[in-house]
Amino acid sequence: MKFDFNALKAKMIEKYGSQNQFAEAFGTSENTMSRKMQSKTPFSRDDIVKICDMLNIPKDQVGYYFFTEKV
């Protein structure tokens, strides 16, 4: 299943300037973050918690940012 991470990417850019700068701050490679954003590699629960903390995403909006199916 593929997910639409456009809202997540927009939040990353808003806070960090680019997805690549976010990946660096997150502590992973550009390639790894890119694979996650393309639904090729899933985000772990720990990833989701850390990303929400870094981007100030409220718990009640996790579904919107991480589990919106790509149409």
Side-chain angles (χ1 to χ4, degrees), residues 45-70:
R45 289 180 186 167
D46 289 341
D47 289 344
I48 292 170
V49 169
K50 184 175 178 180
I51 291 168
C52 287
D53 286 342
M54 291 175 70
L55 299 177
N56 299 320
I57 295 173
K59 290 179 184 174
D60 65 344
Q61 292 182 13
V62 170
Y64 172 70
Y65 285 98
F66 290 94
F67 300 108
T68 299
E69 288 186 52
K70 196 169 206 165

Side-chain angles (χ1 to χ4, degrees), residues 11-25:
K11 193 78 159 167
M12 289 175 179
I13 292 168
E14 175 187 321
K15 290 280 216 178
Y16 288 86
S18 72
Q19 180 179 307
N20 293 339
Q21 288 177 309
F22 176 80
E24 185 177 321

Side-chain angles (χ1 to χ4, degrees), residues 33-49:
M33 186 58 66
S34 179
R35 291 186 60 74
K36 290 176 185 280
M37 296 296 286
Q38 294 173 27
S39 295
K40 292 181 178 178
T41 303
F43 285 102
S44 70
R45 289 180 186 167
D46 289 341
D47 289 344
I48 292 170
V49 169

